[in-house]
């Protein structure tokens, strides 16, 4: 994947299905590692030491197999998804019920 | 005849009263004398009927009898007719009401007057051939806006679309799938073609100049944002709305389908819309004929 990593800043042709899959696999590895180490937000400084210590290898792999914009996007998405998940869990704990979506107008 | 009695009474009074009025009274007497014979023969049956009912010159009671029988004959036939017509109308209205309800639902989604979503656009397909809103006519289309550098949602959605297309094809539903890029700076026809080779072979890829794509997205109320001052070859993402737009065979918008539709509900929804579809020409005819009031 050296070819892809070298062009990570100057990508004009979109990654195809196999390249996407390679990127997604690396992403999953990395995000799993974050979750395992209770990293809630990879952008926050307080987690940077944990990431460096526990997930350095996965991060390197992730950043080499995905373009920069994707890396940033997936990290952001991880934060949002985590927040959403925790919110839903909180609501469920409080006895909340999920409404069907879209809400039936009739 | 009715006059006769009071006048006779008058006569008796007057005869006693004065001689001056004798000449007057004689006429009454004569009246009285001449009439009794005629009155005795005719007054008895005539009394039963009001005067006005007897037509002048027309005496035939037979005709009246005929009318009466006509009336009797009509009364039971009318009852039958009423049941038949009433039942027929009731059936017609109930069935018509149901049919029109479905059409009205479709019409409501279509929007009144000018369609809110969709309109003329001018793009090129992956072969470099022009593709406009005219190419949407004659078949149902499903539009998706995305870009080739999309990290995860677009490929997922396009894979999903591929599955839907196969499912619909199996059941005989024809759908023209179209992918429109929101990132014309990087997505040339060649790039789009290469990208779509990973997905369902029916999907038509469209691109154009930035202005053309922007206009098209505006027509479809698609939001997209490219970071400002993008240099050639720079890596960036495009933020855009993620909806499937279902267009009818007149090239008009029917429905927008979000990510909440899965492999079961998606094709189901599309089938429902295609089945309930009434071509625009027919709808217009309905409107002018006044049936649409129901």
């Amino acid at each position: 994947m050296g070819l892809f990593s070298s062009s990570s800043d100057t990508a004009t042709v979109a990654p195809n299905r196999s390249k996407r899959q390679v990127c997604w696999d690396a992403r999953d590895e990395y995000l799993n590692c974050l979750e395992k180490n209770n990293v809630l937000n990879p952008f926050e400084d307080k987690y940077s030491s944990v990431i460096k210590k526990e997930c350095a290898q996965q991060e390197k792999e992730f950043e080499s197999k995905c373009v920069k914009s994707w890396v940033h996007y997936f990290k952001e998405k991880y934060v949002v998804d985590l927040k959403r998940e925790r919110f839903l869990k909180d609501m469920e704990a409080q006895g909340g019920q999920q409404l069907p979506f879209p809400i039936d107008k009739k | 005849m009715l006059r006769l009695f009071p006048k006779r009474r008058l006569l008796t009074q007057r005869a006693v009263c004065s001689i001056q009025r004798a000449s007057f009274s004689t006429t009454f007497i004569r009246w009285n004398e001449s009439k009794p014979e005629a009155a005795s023969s005719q007054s008895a049956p005539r009394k039963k009927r009001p005067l006005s009912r007897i037509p002048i010159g027309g005496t035939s009671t037979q005709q009246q009898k005929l009318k009466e029988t006509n009336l009797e004959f009509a009364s039971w036939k009318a009852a039958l007719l009423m049941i038949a017509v009433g039942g027929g109308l009731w059936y017609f209205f109930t069935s018509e009401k149901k049919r029109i309800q479905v059409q009205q639902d479709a019409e409501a989604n279509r929007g009144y007057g000018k369609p809110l979503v969709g309109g003329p656009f001018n793009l090129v397909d992956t072969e470099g051939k022009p593709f406009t809103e005219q190419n949407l006519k004659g078949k149902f289309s499903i539009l998706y806006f995305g870009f080739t550098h999309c990290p995860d949602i677009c490929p997922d959605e396009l894979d999903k679309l591929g599955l839907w297309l196969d499912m619909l094809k199996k059941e005989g539903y024809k759908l023209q799938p179209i992918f429109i890029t929101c990132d014309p700076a990087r997505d040339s026809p060649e790039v789009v073609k290469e990208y779509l080779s990973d997905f369902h072979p029916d999907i038509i890829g469209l691109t154009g100049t930035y202005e053309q794509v922007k206009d098209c997205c505006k027509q479809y109320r698609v939001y997209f944002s490219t970071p400002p001052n993008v240099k050639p070859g720079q890596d960036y993402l495009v933020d855009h709305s993620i909806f499937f737009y279902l267009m009818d065979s007149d090239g008009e918008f029917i429905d927008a389908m979000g990510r909440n539709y899965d492999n079961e509900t998606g094709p189901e929804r599309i089938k429902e819309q295609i089945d309930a579809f009434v071509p625009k020409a027919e709808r217009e005819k309905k409107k002018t004929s006044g049936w649409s009031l129901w």
Side-chain angles (χ1 to χ4, degrees), chain B residues 1 4-5 8 32 34-47:
Chain B
M1 284 314 302
L4 220 60
F5 295 101
R8 224 187 275 164
N32 222 359
S34 59
K35 286 278 168 175
E37 301 104 60
S40 60
S41 62
Q42 282 182 11
S43 64
R46 272 194 187 178
K47 254 183 194 171

Side-chain angles (χ1 to χ4, degrees), chain B residues 175-191:
Chain B
L175 203 57
Q176 176 179 245
I178 296 164
F179 170 85
I180 300 173
T181 180
C182 297
D183 186 17
R186 284 184 296 187
D187 293 348
S188 64
E190 297 77 31
V191 172

Side-chain angles (χ1 to χ4, degrees), chain B residues 223-250:
Chain B
Y223 152 83
F224 79 103
S225 93
T226 318
N229 311 318
V230 175
K231 290 173 207 103
Q234 194 183 322
D235 170 37
Y236 61 91
L237 294 181
V238 180
D239 199 9
H240 65 93
S241 359
I242 35 173
F243 280 109
F244 285 114
Y245 292 85
L246 190 61
M247 309 298 287
D248 66 26
S249 51
D250 294 317

Side-chain angles (χ1 to χ4, degrees), chain B residues 23-281:
Chain B
S23 60
F24 251 101
S25 0
T26 49
T27 55
F28 276 103
I29 293 160
R30 227 191 295 155
W31 242 78
N32 222 359
E33 278 169 350
S34 59
K35 286 278 168 175
E37 301 104 60
S40 60
S41 62
Q42 282 182 11
S43 64
R46 272 194 187 178
K47 254 183 194 171
K48 289 183 179 171
R49 241 172 255 134
L51 276 171
S52 58
R53 282 286 174 90
I54 302 158
I56 299 163
T59 51
S60 63
T61 47
Q62 222 183 346
Q63 215 177 16
Q64 284 179 340
K65 261 184 190 170
L66 207 78
K67 267 181 189 166
E68 269 170 24
T69 54
N70 253 353
L71 210 77
E72 266 177 58
F73 170 72
S75 64
W76 69 261
K77 203 184 176 184
L80 262 182
L81 195 75
M82 200 199 77
I83 291 164
V85 172
L89 278 177
W90 178 81
Y91 174 77
F92 174 74
F93 278 115
T94 42
S95 59
E96 196 73 350
K97 201 177 163 190
K98 223 179 265 171
R99 194 176 62 79
I100 281 158
Q101 187 61 47
V102 175
Q103 278 172 19
Q104 274 179 346
D105 286 349
E107 188 70 16
N109 270 359
R110 211 172 268 116
Y112 294 98
K114 199 173 177 263
L116 295 169
V117 178
F121 60 84
N122 212 329
L123 298 169
V124 286
D125 68 10
T126 49
E127 305 300 320
K129 281 182 278 177
F131 194 105
T132 69
E133 78 285 351
Q134 295 299 323
N135 296 74
L136 298 180
K137 288 180 182 171
K139 47 201 145 188
F140 284 84
S141 309
I142 190 158
L143 272 65
Y144 187 73
F145 291 82
F147 66 113
T148 61
H149 285 76
C150 187
D152 56 352
I153 294 167
C154 315
D156 277 354
E157 291 290 276
L158 287 174
D159 277 335
K160 198 164 84 176
L161 176 63
L163 274 173
W164 293 6
L165 291 172
D166 282 336
M167 286 161 90
L168 290 167
K169 216 179 211 174
K170 245 183 238 166
E171 292 183 50
Y173 289 90
K174 277 182 194 152
L175 203 57
Q176 176 179 245
I178 296 164
F179 170 85
I180 300 173
T181 180
C182 297
D183 186 17
R186 284 184 296 187
D187 293 348
S188 64
E190 297 77 31
V191 172
V192 174
K193 190 180 179 180
E194 179 65 32
Y195 178 71
L196 289 177
S197 65
D198 277 344
F199 299 99
H200 197 281
D202 286 357
I203 300 174
I204 299 166
L206 300 183
T207 183
T209 64
Y210 180 78
E211 283 305 316
Q212 284 172 332
V213 169
K214 201 177 123 191
D215 282 346
C216 181
C217 286
K218 206 172 171 187
Q219 297 281 7
Y220 282 88
R221 305 292 188 270
V222 168
Y223 152 83
F224 79 103
S225 93
T226 318
N229 311 318
V230 175
K231 290 173 207 103
Q234 194 183 322
D235 170 37
Y236 61 91
L237 294 181
V238 180
D239 199 9
H240 65 93
S241 359
I242 35 173
F243 280 109
F244 285 114
Y245 292 85
L246 190 61
M247 309 298 287
D248 66 26
S249 51
D250 294 317
E252 286 188 4
F253 170 73
I254 308 179
D255 202 8
M257 298 167 71
R259 285 181 73 200
N260 51 313
Y261 285 96
D262 59 23
N263 290 335
E264 205 175 293
T265 54
E268 207 54 46
R269 180 82 185 140
I270 293 168
K271 276 191 278 179
E272 211 176 84
Q273 293 286 8
I274 292 177
D275 288 342
F277 175 69
V278 178
K280 195 185 183 182

